[in-house]
């Protein structure tokens, strides 16, 4: 027997994933004490294979709970414990850019490898590391991409749109999304001066009268998308929409995007958000099924 185990804030995604797999689903009960510590309660008996669903948006408090949940699941019978983490945090810092910087990707990956037999995620922010297997040494790591699903979603709504990556890092996603449906694509250049200070340089194209859809893996403050939107509209684009895999959208990100002139904003359900418009469940279920 197998089981999907999840926290209450991700119950909807867990239910959809369990239905796709034909497995039961159970919810981890949480009690937060006044001092900030958490008591977790899991089902008293777990089957041999457990898939724990836990996204790591707003990661710091969740990591402590993830450690406790993994250890508790092992004690309660999970001989095979796999983490499905639709949004996997701390992947950007994959090298030390300055002396003394902690390489978070390396150390989080080692921790996950100690807690889980496999880790499945969606569109992780990997650059100097080729595969998720390298992130979780000695364990199975699977990264699935929502790029084709993004392309299908856009093609059904704006089939003549030009897909644009707001920075060079988005090139890998926008190319796949466009190629799957024969759509045109382009990539901008980004200069980041601070967490919320971003300038985007457009490629030398005629933007007049064009419908543009910005494509990115993750949006946090939204400043990169906002800067790209303003630049495109100033160059004469007829409309600018955006679609992202991971809708973090912290603080005033969404209002800032619409203030910049963005028309429509879509995301996958990897992170629960009002902009969710398509699902990563088929990708996750397929990855789980490959772990025979």
């Amino acid at each position: 027997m197998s089981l999907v185990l999840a926290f209450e804030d991700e119950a909807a995604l867990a239910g959809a994933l369990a239905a796709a797999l034909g497995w039961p689903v159970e919810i981890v009960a949480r009690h937060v004490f006044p001092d900030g510590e958490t008591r977790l309660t899991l089902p008293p008996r777990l089957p041999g294979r457990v898939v724990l669903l836990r996204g790591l948006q707003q990661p710091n408090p969740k990591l402590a709970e993830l450690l406790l949940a993994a250890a508790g699941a092992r004690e309660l019978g999970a001989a095979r414990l796999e983490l499905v983490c639709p949004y996997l945090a701390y992947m950007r810092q994959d090298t030390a850019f300055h002396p003394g910087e902690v390489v978070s990707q390396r150390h989080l990956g080692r921790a996950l490898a100690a807690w889980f037999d496999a880790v499945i995620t969606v569109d992780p922010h990997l650059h100097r590391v080729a595969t998720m297997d390298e992130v979780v040494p000695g364990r199975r790591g699977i990264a699935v991409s929502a790029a084709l699903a993004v392309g299908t979603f856009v093609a059904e709504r704006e089939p003549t749109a030009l897909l644009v990556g707001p920075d060079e890092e988005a090139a890998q996603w926008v190319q796949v999304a466009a190629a799957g449906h024969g759509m045109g694509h382009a990539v901008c250049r980004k200069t980041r001066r601070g967490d919320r200070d971003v300038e985007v340089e457009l490629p030398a194209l005629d933007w007049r009268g064009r419908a543009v859809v910005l494509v990115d893996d993750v949006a946090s403050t939204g400043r990169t998308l906002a800067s790209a939107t303003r630049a495109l509209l100033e160059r004469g684009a007829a409309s600018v929409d955006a679609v992202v895999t991971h809708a973090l959208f912290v603080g005033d990100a969404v209002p800032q995007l619409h203030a910049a002139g963005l028309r429509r904003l879509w995301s996958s359900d990897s992170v629960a958000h009002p902009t969710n418009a398509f699902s990563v469940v088929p990708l996750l279920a397929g990855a789980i099924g490959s772990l025979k």
Side-chain angles (χ1 to χ4, degrees):
M1 182 179 174
S2 303
L3 174 74
V4 173
L5 187 64
F7 287 75
E8 186 175 353
D9 59 316
E10 293 178 305
L13 185 62
L17 179 61
L21 294 168
W23 294 4
V25 60
E26 294 281 358
I27 301 299
V28 177
R30 300 171 67 248
H31 176 79
V32 180
F33 293 100
D35 62 4
E37 291 187 7
T38 304
R39 180 182 65 216
L40 303 181
T41 304
L42 280 61
R45 292 185 181 179
L46 292 175
R49 184 182 185 187
V50 173
V51 166
L52 177 59
L53 172 69
R54 194 52 167 160
L56 286 178
Q57 55 277 13
Q58 300 176 327
N60 292 356
K62 291 181 178 179
L63 283 169
E65 294 180 354
L66 193 63
L67 163 62
L68 296 173
R74 295 287 194 190
E75 289 182 340
L76 293 168
R80 180 172 169 183
L81 184 61
E82 297 154 3
L83 174 65
V84 170
C85 187
Y87 175 71
L88 182 56
Y90 285 119
M91 292 296 102
R92 287 184 177 89
Q93 188 79 21
D94 56 6
T95 190
F97 299 101
H98 304 284
E101 284 186 345
V102 175
V103 182
S104 56
Q105 182 191 97
R106 179 188 306 151
H107 299 297
L108 178 61
R110 289 174 179 171
L112 296 179
W115 303 344
F116 297 97
D117 299 301
V119 176
I120 297 170
T121 189
V122 182
D123 285 335
H125 219 80
L126 304 181
H127 296 292
R128 279 160 286 270
V129 173
T131 68
M132 274 298 296
D133 282 331
E134 296 176 59
V135 175
V136 284
R139 301 293 192 178
R140 182 72 189 280
I142 299 178
V144 297
S145 178
L148 285 176
V150 165
T152 299
F153 179 84
V154 174
E156 291 172 350
R157 286 154 184 80
E158 288 287 343
T160 62
L162 181 69
L163 303 189
V164 174
D167 55 34
E168 298 93 330
E169 293 177 349
Q172 57 185 312
W173 291 284
V174 73
Q175 289 170 3
V176 173
H181 295 275
M183 305 175 76
H185 71 278
V187 178
C188 304
R189 295 183 62 187
K190 177 175 70 176
T191 301
R192 180 180 291 280
R193 301 184 180 90
D195 290 341
R196 298 176 186 270
D197 185 4
V198 177
E199 181 180 346
V200 172
E201 179 185 346
L202 302 180
L205 298 173
D206 184 0
W207 299 98
R208 292 173 296 179
R210 303 210 64 163
V212 176
V213 177
L214 296 168
V215 176
D216 211 351
D217 62 326
V218 58
S220 180
T221 67
R223 291 330 192 245
T224 300
L225 292 176
S227 179
T229 298
R230 284 191 292 269
L232 287 162
L233 293 174
E234 288 170 1
R235 294 284 191 87
S239 63
V240 182
D241 302 314
V243 56
V244 301
T245 303
H246 306 298
L248 301 186
F249 295 132
V250 299
D252 64 349
V254 172
Q256 286 290 331
L257 286 168
H258 290 304
L262 190 73
R263 182 177 63 165
R264 292 175 294 186
L265 180 59
W266 302 298
S267 65
S268 83
D269 60 357
S270 67
V271 177
H273 192 269
T275 60
N276 291 168
F278 61 99
S279 183
V280 296
V281 165
L283 298 172
L284 296 175
I288 293 168
S290 73
L291 293 172
K292 300 297 187 183

